[in-house]
Amino acid sequence: MTEHWHQRRSGGPSNRPGDLRTPWQRDRARVLHSAAFRRLQSKTQIMNVGENDFYRTRLTHSLEAAQIGASLINQLQHVSSAAHAELLPDLNLMETLCLAHDIGHPPFGHGGEAALHFKMLSSGGFEGNGQTFRIVGKLEAYHPEHGMDLTRRSLLGLLKYPVLMPELTAPDHLTKPGSLAKWKPAKALFACDADLLDWVLQPLNDSDRELFQQVDTLSQAPWQKSKYKALDASLMELADDIAYGVHDLEDAVVTGTLSESQWHAHVDSVIDALPSGLAELMQKLGQQLFGREHHQRKNAIGALVNIFVTAVRLEEVLPQAQEPLIRFNATLPTDEAFLLKSLKDVVFEHVINEPSIQQLRYRSQNMLLDLFTALHTEPLRLLPRNTRERWQKAQHEQGQAAADRILCDYVAGMTDDYAERMYRNLFVV
């Protein structure tokens, strides 16, 4: 792998004296020891933190995604050609990406994300993956300017959407909306972080960069969708999807959120569309999933993960690109991709769309809207001293939009518990 993918933006020495770790081992350590990673232990995955003693948090989800990512690399090393195997990320790099992929998500999951995006419409918007990129590249305290100062390849691997936020139109009055459905954030990076994106993509020639940053324009929110991601990001996203579609499914079964009848209503038609061998296996695993023996359910969960891990392959998605890290992606064959999407749809329809979950999400959204409004209205009174100083500096030197971004960074970094506690301090008598 060429040297420029090992570089850090600071340009400093690659290792401390006597430090024999690889760049990827150092990146992994920086993520693991970061405040942003620790906060994942108190951030919602699907069920609100504290609702159940079995639920997965963003932290446990990220750990499971990292394990699955390592399994994907192991599988591809055995089934790929020698030339393709050389392109694969190191296991430490793969874990770095999976452990870091959710650190930009705000309190209260995607509900909190939509609330912050609405409040930031006049100041560049908000999106969880964009915030992840901002945290690792600018905000964490490993370097005064460059955040965790990760290697260029690690930053490339965290670019699920390697494009900037489109032009946003804010309503005349940023009051509390009746519904946030029409304010879904574009999957993109913030315009204020364009310098960091330019540095990450610097090794690409003009043609490759133009290819890599193509977008599909949509007629409604989220308005655009980037078409491509790098090889490492495709592996991270696949590990994330498997963890979501399988392990979050386990949460739903164990807690009774998903019943056996709901499972059959949604999945039986999916199984009928699969090849006979995969269909028979899915029927067997469905029985184990809802059986009385806990070890059978765990076996079913492991077997579901195995279906996808053993099917992974490398595919040329941008054959005209010169840079191999953007030319290839990790993909699943059609049947396995259809099955994984179907499992994610089950989780979405029967868990995320469950009225009790949506009621909590609605409550949490409104809490965050009120909290942001209060801090935005009275920043000098309500912000912590260090955040207040950064807010004042940004407003003085760069203007209101930059000050709003500092405020958004603060709110987005809150855990669910911290945000709820601050809300009670401000609003509950």
Side-chain angles (χ1 to χ4, degrees):
M1 186 56 58
T2 49
E3 183 63 28
H4 50 243
W5 294 116
H6 294 76
Q7 292 173 351
R8 301 181 190 276
R9 199 178 183 197
S10 67
S14 58
N15 287 72
R16 295 186 178 96
D19 188 350
L20 301 179
R21 292 176 298 171
T22 68
W24 323 125
Q25 288 172 319
R26 295 186 69 205
D27 282 0
R28 180 179 179 273
R30 291 183 180 195
V31 171
L32 272 173
H33 294 289
S34 68
F37 181 73
R38 289 196 301 276
R39 291 189 185 107
L40 295 179
Q41 66 187 306
S42 189
K43 287 196 177 186
T44 294
Q45 174 62 10
I46 291 182
M47 300 177 184
N48 275 31
V49 172
E51 287 296 307
N52 189 283
D53 63 359
F54 183 83
Y55 62 84
R56 285 170 164 88
T57 65
R58 290 272 179 188
L59 179 64
T60 57
H61 163 77
S62 298
L63 292 170
E64 289 172 336
Q67 186 275 320
I68 294 171
S71 296
L72 292 170
I73 298 299
N74 183 65
Q75 179 72 17
L76 286 170
Q77 285 173 336
H78 283 84
V79 301
S80 302
S81 67
H84 287 171
E86 287 183 356
L87 298 176
L88 295 173
D90 174 270
L91 285 177
N92 290 285
L93 173 55
M94 189 72 255
E95 287 196 2
T96 298
L97 302 181
C98 292
L99 293 173
H101 81 280
D102 266 352
I103 62 175
H105 279 273
F108 312 126
H110 289 291
E113 181 184 49
L116 283 183
H117 180 62
F118 178 78
K119 284 298 185 181
M120 288 292 290
L121 284 171
S122 60
S123 300
F126 180 83
E127 198 274 333
N129 296 285
Q131 189 69 11
T132 293
F133 188 65
R134 182 168 169 79
I135 288 171
V136 298
K138 292 188 174 181
L139 299 183
E140 269 289 342
Y142 286 87
H143 189 278
E145 296 174 348
H146 306 309
M148 295 186 194
D149 197 26
L150 302 182
T151 57
R152 185 184 262 119
R153 181 165 178 175
S154 290
L155 292 173
L156 180 71
L158 288 170
L159 287 176
K160 285 184 70 172
Y161 314 107
V163 296
L164 296 178
M165 191 77 71
E167 196 73 27
L168 299 172
T169 303
D172 292 336
H173 301 288
L174 285 177
T175 56
K176 192 179 297 185
S179 170
L180 287 171
K182 64 179 180 179
W183 303 111
K184 291 179 181 178
K187 303 300 185 181
L189 308 177
F190 311 135
C192 59
D193 298 324
D195 58 326
L196 180 58
L197 176 62
D198 287 340
W199 182 81
V200 173
L201 300 185
Q202 187 178 327
L204 303 184
N205 62 38
D206 291 343
S207 176
D208 276 8
R209 179 162 179 173
E210 184 177 354
L211 286 168
F212 186 52
Q213 293 189 286
Q214 291 181 69
V215 298
D216 286 328
T217 302
L218 308 177
S219 60
Q220 58 186 9
W223 310 114
Q224 74 174 23
K225 182 178 181 181
S226 58
K227 297 175 69 172
Y228 300 108
K229 57 182 62 67
L231 168 62
D232 300 349
S234 72
L235 280 159
M236 175 265 286
E237 184 173 53
L238 181 55
D240 184 25
D241 284 349
I242 295 171
Y244 170 74
V246 179
H247 289 302
D248 290 349
L249 175 68
E250 181 184 15
D251 272 9
V253 173
V254 171
T255 59
T257 310
L258 177 68
S259 68
E260 188 171 4
S261 61
Q262 289 172 326
W263 165 264
H264 285 296
H266 197 108
V267 175
D268 284 356
S269 60
V270 172
I271 292 176
D272 290 342
L274 296 174
S276 58
L278 186 54
E280 291 175 10
L281 176 58
M282 282 302 301
Q283 288 174 339
K284 176 183 176 182
L285 296 181
Q287 293 172 354
Q288 292 182 357
L289 198 60
F290 290 93
R292 294 185 177 182
E293 300 293 335
H294 295 324
H295 70 274
Q296 288 187 333
R297 184 181 64 248
K298 294 304 291 186
N299 178 71
I301 293 299
L304 284 170
V305 172
N306 185 66
I307 289 172
F308 305 117
V309 168
T310 56
V312 68
R313 63 189 181 182
L314 290 184
E315 179 183 354
E316 270 193 314
V317 293
L318 271 176
Q320 61 271 57
Q322 293 185 25
E323 172 54 60
L325 287 183
I326 68 169
R327 189 162 70 241
F328 292 93
N329 271 191
T331 64
L332 292 177
T334 302
D335 292 326
E336 285 79 4
F338 170 63
L339 176 58
L340 181 55
K341 180 183 182 302
S342 299
L343 294 182
K344 290 169 61 182
D345 288 345
V346 170
V347 174
F348 182 84
E349 181 59 33
H350 295 291
V351 182
I352 295 176
N353 266 354
E354 173 68 23
S356 62
I357 299 292
Q358 285 301 314
Q359 288 164 14
L360 285 170
R361 175 172 287 192
Y362 182 81
R363 170 181 175 271
S364 301
Q365 276 183 338
N366 282 284
M367 284 172 51
L368 218 57
L369 289 168
D370 288 341
L371 196 55
F372 189 98
T373 298
L375 295 170
H376 187 271
T377 304
E378 295 277 11
L380 298 181
R381 291 179 65 193
L382 302 179
L383 288 175
R385 290 186 184 276
N386 58 347
T387 306
R388 183 175 65 196
E389 290 171 1
R390 291 198 302 273
W391 181 90
Q392 288 177 302
K393 185 174 186 292
Q395 187 183 53
H396 176 71
E397 296 179 357
Q398 299 171 274
Q400 188 59 48
D404 288 347
R405 181 60 62 190
I406 298 297
L407 175 57
C408 186
D409 290 339
Y410 173 62
V411 177
M414 294 179 179
T415 64
D416 294 17
D417 293 337
Y418 186 90
E420 186 150 3
R421 188 162 59 250
M422 178 173 281
Y423 178 86
R424 287 199 307 267
N425 289 341
L426 292 176
F427 295 104
V428 178
V429 178

